[in-house]
């Protein structure tokens, strides 16, 4: 059974800092990996999708990497801003099934 | 750009009542997923449909059923509601292939917040 772990559970940083969120998964036979952002009580916003054949994806100040063999992904956020404060969720789609298995998220607070 | 639409956004029911949640996927998306997110929890997969056929099933109680209609919208029917069913219910949609490229990025709707009293 696929298990997804995110470390740290919570992170508080000053504005302008670069930061890394970590995600690990137990079964490397994944189809793809998605990073989401969720504001309190709101829906999930897709940030980046990495296919299993890819190593990284970039969108603006965000960069996500994938090391499938070691079961790890990182989300790098450059020059963090208070508006980046949210919970960031990592989710993997298993090969043969499109359903997403989520980690419990990292709650990020960027202080002005 | 068009997003996933869910209705209603909020729903309050009594125990043992029934509820129907609706989802309208992004146009041209062929797959719909339902997820349940309890308070302080991560989303849990319930069920999915590809081209109107059930494609995968997760931890969905027998009291729940779902279907996808000819216009691709989907409904999640929940009966004999229990207090523990109180949660955010998300619908997501994706296109398995687009322009001959395997894609499958899931886009989530805003969710329906169900409260069972």
């Amino acid at each position: 059974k696929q298990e997804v772990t995110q470390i740290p559970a919570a992170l508080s940083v000053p504005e302008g800092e670069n930061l890394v969120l970590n995600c690990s998964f137990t079964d490397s036979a994944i189809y793809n990996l998605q990073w989401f952002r969720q504001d309190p009580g709101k829906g999930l916003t897709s940030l980046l999708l990495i296919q299993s054949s890819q190593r990284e994806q970039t969108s603006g100040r965000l960069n996500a990497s994938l090391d499938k063999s070691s079961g790890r992904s990182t989300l790098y956020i450059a020059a963090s801003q208070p508006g980046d404060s949210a919970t960031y969720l990592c989710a993997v789609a298993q090969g043969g099934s499109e359903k997403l298995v989520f980690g419990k998220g990292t709650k990020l607070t960027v202080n002005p | 750009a068009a997003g996933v639409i869910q209705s209603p956004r909020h729903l309050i029911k009594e125990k043992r009542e029934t509820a129907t949640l609706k989802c309208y996927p992004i146009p041209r998306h062929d797959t719909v997923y339902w997820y349940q997110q309890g308070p302080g929890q991560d989303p849990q997969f319930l069920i999915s449909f590809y081209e109107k056929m059930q494609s995968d099933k997760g931890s969905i109680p027998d009291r729940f059923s779902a279907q996808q209609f000819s216009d691709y919208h989907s409904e999640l029917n929940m009966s004999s509601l229990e207090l523990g069913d109180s949660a955010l219910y998300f619908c997501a949609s994706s296109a398995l292939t687009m322009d001959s490229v395997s894609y499958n990025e899931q886009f989530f709707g805003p969710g329906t917040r169900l409260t069972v009293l």
Side-chain angles (χ1 to χ4, degrees), chain B residues 62-87:
Chain B
D62 292 341
R63 299 177 289 108
F64 294 6
S65 65
Q67 58 182 323
Q68 187 178 30
F69 295 86
S70 58
D71 64 352
Y72 290 90
H73 94 272
S74 179
E75 294 184 4
L76 177 66
N77 299 293
M78 310 160 70
S79 63
S80 302
L81 287 170
E82 302 173 356
L83 295 177
D85 296 329
S86 295

